[in-house]
Amino acid sequence: MAIPKPKNNFGNTPPQNPSKDRILVVCEGKSTEPNYFRGLANFYRLNNVKIVGKGATPKAIVNEAKHINSTEKTEYGDGYDQVYCVFDRDEHPDFNEAKDAAKKVGFITIFSWPCFEYWILLHFKFTRRPYASSSGRTPAQNCMKSLKDSFSEYEKNNKNLFNELSPRLDTAKTNSIRALRDAEKTKEFNPSTKVHVLVEELQSQDF
């Protein structure tokens, strides 16, 4: 009989399965993004993933990831095998600077343009219609408005977000890959996201 995998405690403890990569995910948001990824990690019973919700600008996210990884090296003699910095394009002036800073130290940036809610929207439909400021709303706020049209129950602090969306996960990945390919081809990244890259990496750790 197979031994069930232990659930994630999201701490710094090295994983029980040494063949798995130790992964750090630092998110811009304090609730939506970490809740989603914690739900995913629990769903796949991953005990090798640490997820942090910082609630800061992209550059601050990269700096926080550096700090956590450095502390990990000090306490355990080695850093994380993979480090992901998850943040929005939104209207952040330090967006490109943050991407460059992450790349310089080997971290992987997972951006959403204009915001993480675009990834959630892709669970319901495909769209590449750009989001702009209008009616006193930012591009991110207009994206959230579109999401509410398709997912009226959406709440930013929903701790059960992943479980509610998991039946639509394959649809979201397909739409996300399609959107990013088109963005790279046209050089127009509004809207697009790379969240599927992180999702697929976490899914691959389920062994």
Side-chain angles (χ1 to χ4, degrees):
M1 181 176 68
I3 299 175
K5 300 174 187 175
K7 289 191 175 182
N8 193 336
N9 62 9
F10 306 110
N12 283 324
T13 306
Q16 296 182 22
N17 184 344
S19 66
K20 290 186 178 183
D21 281 351
R22 298 174 61 241
I23 298 173
L24 171 65
V25 180
V26 183
C27 305
E28 174 184 335
K30 283 186 175 181
S31 56
T32 305
E33 296 97 318
N35 283 344
Y36 184 91
F37 290 117
R38 284 169 184 155
L40 187 153
N42 276 328
F43 184 85
Y44 291 105
R45 295 180 178 269
L46 304 179
N47 64 345
N48 58 317
V49 182
K50 180 180 178 69
I51 300 166
V52 177
K54 178 65 176 174
T57 64
K59 187 65 182 297
I61 297 305
V62 176
N63 288 337
E64 179 71 6
K66 289 179 181 178
H67 172 71
I68 295 173
N69 197 46
S70 177
T71 300
E72 190 76 3
K73 289 180 181 179
T74 300
E75 293 184 358
Y76 296 105
D78 196 9
Y80 287 90
D81 299 299
Q82 299 183 52
V83 178
Y84 291 86
C85 298
V86 181
F87 50 81
D88 297 342
R89 175 62 185 96
D90 204 356
E91 297 181 321
H92 294 304
D94 63 348
F95 177 77
N96 289 326
E97 184 183 0
K99 287 174 63 178
D100 292 341
K103 183 178 181 180
K104 185 177 293 186
V105 293
F107 295 170
I108 302 169
T109 55
I110 301 295
F111 69 80
S112 293
W113 196 314
C115 58
F116 188 77
E117 277 75 12
Y118 175 67
W119 161 254
I120 300 175
L121 178 61
L122 292 177
H123 288 70
F124 298 90
K125 68 177 184 178
F126 176 83
T127 179
R128 279 276 287 144
R129 181 179 180 180
Y131 293 98
S133 299
S134 66
S135 304
R137 294 188 296 265
T138 66
Q141 288 170 335
N142 279 323
C143 182
M144 191 177 303
K145 183 177 181 299
S146 294
L147 172 59
K148 294 283 282 187
D149 290 340
S150 295
F151 184 28
S152 60
E153 300 86 0
Y154 172 69
E155 295 180 1
K156 291 184 71 68
N157 62 351
N158 182 2
K159 294 183 179 181
N160 199 41
L161 183 62
F162 178 80
N163 286 339
E164 292 180 6
L165 295 175
S166 59
R168 299 174 179 267
L169 185 56
D170 286 342
T171 297
K173 290 195 299 180
T174 298
N175 287 339
S176 182
I177 292 168
R178 178 184 171 190
L180 185 60
R181 285 176 178 170
D182 187 62
E184 291 172 341
K185 179 180 179 180
T186 63
K187 305 303 179 185
E188 173 54 73
F189 286 85
N190 178 15
S192 60
T193 183
K194 294 180 69 177
V195 172
H196 64 271
V197 174
L198 176 52
V199 168
E200 290 185 336
E201 177 56 40
L202 294 178
Q203 286 179 314
S204 76
Q205 297 292 313
D206 181 33
F207 61 87

